[in-house]
Every structure is written in structure tokens, then in C-alpha cells.
Amino acid sequence: MNCPSDWPEPIVRVQSLSETGVFPDRYIKPPTQRPTPIFSNSDQATHTNIPIIDFQGLDDDHLRATTLGQISEACRDWGFFQVVNHGVSPGLMDRTQEVWRQFFHLPMELKQAYANSPKTYEGYGSRLGVEKGAILDWSDYYFLHYLPLCLKDYDKWPALPGYAREVIDEYGKEAVKLCGRIMKILSLNLGLEEDFLQKGFGGEDIGACLRVNFYPKCPQPDLTLGLSSHSDPGGMTVLLPDQHVAGLQVRKDDTWITVKPAPHAFIVNIGDQIQVLSNATYKSVEHRVIVNPAKERLSLAFFYNPKSDIAIEPAKELVTPERPALYTPMTFNEYRLYIRLNGPRGKSQVDSLKSPRK
């Protein structure tokens, strides 16, 4: 099955709805999926945060083992962690966010020139999934490719503001470097050679793409979500969050934890493909985004993915008689088609790969 070439219904930009104060019924989530109001959260949800890890410790002989242990624990227990002192310039992070904020505040007719389709999702979009009549999320986005180079098309990147493509390109190069560094750490923590996961993804021939999420102000934030609960279908995600408005929530022990971003930190999370490769030693974790009645929010999700046609399955080194392979092989191309057709749906996709019990 392939993605259709067009959306099943006319696209409505959430930003336009926000500016007019309109809240259509098709954004109302079922009661079980609605966010818990911040004021009624449990003490755990209010005071807990995902781990924050200082990558400077990796360059210190006295701190390296401790830092590696912190990353390992976060991958096993949380599937999420924040990194500070990661090597990416704070100035570049700020410039990149400002470029995208300016893009989303351009006149609608200029943004519409980049309107996307479900065939590739590349460009300016407002929905995930192609089910007619589906309940939608309160967000717009922009999706583009960095790698492989054969998919990188500057003409599909915003030309405004005038320096946008240059900044976006520089940011992508730094994000790829950071992802490569984290992949080595994850491999070592699994007891494997440092290049194991990178090779499992296809070596240098991997995929990397960016989705910039724009969450406009919402008149009914208690009834909807900016992004429905899901685990990321790819390998690993490096998120540059909004520095001023919280919104990302991570599921931990059946409680939704609102992430409190550290200044100029990246939020790293394990995707489904690394869960499969690690034979569930590392977990991809459900997360979602809540919206705000008074403030818009912008975040940049950088996805680091396997080569699209390589079958991903548990590493043989991590399969034992006591812990057999938990998942059947599937290429990333086959895998991501699910979310492109159905939209975000919890962990139903990775769970569907589990090998039948013998």
C-alpha cells in the first residue's frame, strides 16, 4: 500500500483557526485522550523532570564512566533525556528557531507555496494521516529532508526569511554530528562496538529529516492536543524545544510528565528502530504535546533514521536463549508507512512487530 497523492479533505491551517478564535469539533479528543489540567497534576508529574545529562563529562576521564552510566539508565528507564554542553552553538540554536518563527508568521499566501502532500509529507503541513473525518491535532508543521543527499532539495526549503536556507543547513550539519556522537555512546552502553548502531542504520547512508512543529494558541486546550500520543517511528530524535513555553509530555509509569527544558538543552529520545535493534533494552516511550491558551509554541524535531530499505531486527549479539528476539524484521520504509497512513497512535506500531510466542 502506498500513500495517496493528496489529502482526503481540504487542508485548514490551525494558525488561521487560532487567529479567528474558532475551535471546530474535529479537534476535540475523546475524554480518555484529553490532557490532564496542569493544576490538577499529581505531585510526581509536577515536580519530576526527565534526566538532564552534561556531555562535558564524556571528555573528563574522571567523569566519563559516570556520564555513560547516566545515559544508559535514562535510555533504559525513561527513553528520554536532556543534554547540555552538547557542542552545538547556543547562537545557532537561537537563530534557527527565529528563522522558523519568522516563517510561520509570514502571510498565508507565501507559506501556501510550500504546501505538502501525504506522498512525501515534505513542506508545509497541518495533519498526519489520511483517514477521512479523523480527529486532528492542534498544530501546523514543516517537514524537510537532510539525508540521504538524493532527497535533499533546497527548493523545497523556505526561501524566506532570506537567510533561512543557510541557517537551516548549518543547523542540520550540527544535528547530524551530534546524532552520530550519541549513536556511539548508545552502542558502547549496549556492550557493542561503538559503530554498531550506525552500521545497523546503514553506515553513512542513513536518513535524517526535520519536522518543525508550530502550536498556535488554542481557545480550548483542555479538549485537544498539539500532537497525539505516539512513540517516534524512526531511530532517534533530537528535539530543540521552545525555551519559553512548555508542552512536551512524556509517559512514565502511567503518568504524564511535563518536560521542563533546561536552557539551550536538546531533548533526546529513543525511537522504535533502536528499541528493535536493542531487543527492547532501550525503550521508545509514548509522548504527546499539550497546547496553551495564551502562547504559541515552536519546536524542532530532528529525526535520525535507518536507511529506508534495510531490514531492522534485534542485534544477534543481544539475542540469547533467555532473551530471544522480540521483533520480526521490517524495513523502515514499510514501518513508517503506518504512521503516514494512520497518524500517531501510541505504541501500536512497534508492538505489532513483536514475534509470536513459541
Side-chain angles (χ1 to χ4, degrees):
M1 187 189 300
N2 293 316
C3 277
S5 59
D6 211 350
W7 302 108
E9 301 142 322
I11 290 294
V12 176
R13 302 302 179 190
V14 175
Q15 192 174 5
S16 297
L17 296 174
S18 174
E19 288 168 355
T20 56
V22 173
F23 185 75
D25 288 350
R26 67 175 315 176
Y27 293 90
I28 299 176
K29 301 292 181 184
T32 56
Q33 296 177 22
R34 294 175 194 172
T36 306
I38 294 293
F39 58 80
S40 66
N41 270 1
S42 68
D43 283 347
Q44 180 191 2
T46 303
H47 299 296
T48 305
N49 200 8
I50 62 174
I52 300 174
I53 299 171
D54 188 342
F55 265 28
Q56 272 190 338
L58 295 170
D59 301 319
D60 185 317
D61 290 342
H62 299 292
L63 297 175
R64 181 172 171 81
T66 299
T67 306
L68 288 172
Q70 290 170 344
I71 296 168
S72 178
E73 186 176 348
C75 290
R76 294 164 191 264
D77 295 348
W78 282 89
F80 270 82
F81 56 96
Q82 299 191 60
V83 293
V84 295
N85 294 315
H86 39 64
V88 181
S89 155
L92 176 60
M93 297 166 77
D94 292 343
R95 286 196 306 277
T96 307
Q97 284 191 309
E98 182 56 29
V99 157
W100 283 108
R101 205 174 289 280
Q102 287 183 40
F103 171 81
F104 281 103
H105 284 284
L106 289 172
M108 186 57 71
E109 61 270 18
L110 295 179
K111 291 181 291 195
Q112 282 294 112
Y114 300 97
N116 73 348
S117 80
K119 195 73 178 172
T120 67
Y121 275 84
E122 195 164 16
Y124 177 45
S126 295
R127 67 177 292 168
L128 298 169
V130 293
E131 179 187 339
K132 191 170 184 178
I135 298 172
L136 301 178
D137 290 335
W138 190 263
S139 58
D140 299 322
Y141 65 86
Y142 201 106
F143 181 84
L144 56 83
H145 288 287
Y146 280 104
L147 293 172
L149 291 175
C150 62
L151 293 180
K152 187 177 185 180
D153 185 352
Y154 290 115
D155 289 338
K156 293 181 179 177
W157 296 16
L160 294 171
Y163 55 94
R165 290 174 180 171
E166 178 184 342
V167 172
I168 296 165
D169 204 22
E170 184 184 358
Y171 179 83
K173 289 172 184 173
E174 292 298 314
V176 167
K177 278 195 275 186
L178 177 60
C179 288
R181 187 181 181 196
I182 296 171
M183 291 281 279
K184 291 179 180 179
I185 294 165
L186 300 187
S187 295
L188 290 171
N189 277 338
L190 286 169
L192 304 168
E193 296 294 323
E194 70 170 20
D195 62 354
F196 182 88
L197 287 177
Q198 189 72 41
K199 283 182 177 177
F201 272 32
E204 296 303 308
D205 195 15
I206 53 94
C209 48
L210 176 72
R211 190 178 71 223
V212 184
N213 305 297
F214 184 74
Y215 305 101
K217 293 183 287 187
C218 180
Q220 294 287 314
D222 54 325
L223 298 180
T224 193
L225 290 167
L227 190 57
S228 294
S229 174
H230 66 289
S231 62
D232 287 349
M236 177 174 61
T237 305
V238 172
L239 181 82
L240 176 54
D242 195 301
Q243 294 289 301
H244 307 291
V245 185
L248 174 64
Q249 293 189 323
V250 174
R251 192 168 193 157
K252 174 69 169 168
D253 302 329
D254 292 324
T255 298
W256 288 104
I257 307 294
T258 301
V259 176
K260 303 156 193 69
H264 288 113
F266 283 110
I267 297 170
V268 178
N269 66 280
I270 300 298
D272 293 345
Q273 305 305 306
I274 286 183
Q275 175 170 324
V276 171
L277 274 165
S278 73
N279 206 26
T281 301
Y282 296 159
K283 306 288 196 305
S284 64
V285 170
E286 278 186 78
H287 51 287
R288 67 184 188 183
V289 176
I290 57 174
V291 288
N292 193 292
K295 297 175 182 177
E296 68 185 35
R297 182 173 174 272
L298 180 95
S299 68
L300 284 69
F302 192 86
F303 302 112
Y304 196 79
N305 298 326
K307 187 171 183 283
S308 59
D309 59 356
I310 289 180
I312 302 297
E313 60 185 318
K316 291 178 174 53
E317 294 84 344
L318 301 177
V319 174
T320 66
E322 296 75 32
R323 190 179 179 83
L326 297 177
Y327 306 98
T328 55
M330 181 181 282
T331 69
F332 183 52
N333 250 353
E334 296 168 318
Y335 192 90
R336 67 181 164 192
L337 183 60
Y338 178 92
I339 196 167
R340 289 186 171 184
L341 290 171
N342 300 299
R345 297 193 178 187
K347 290 206 57 162
S348 57
Q349 170 66 341
V350 72
D351 288 345
S352 73
L353 282 187
K354 286 185 176 175
S355 300
R357 296 287 178 191
K358 292 181 180 177

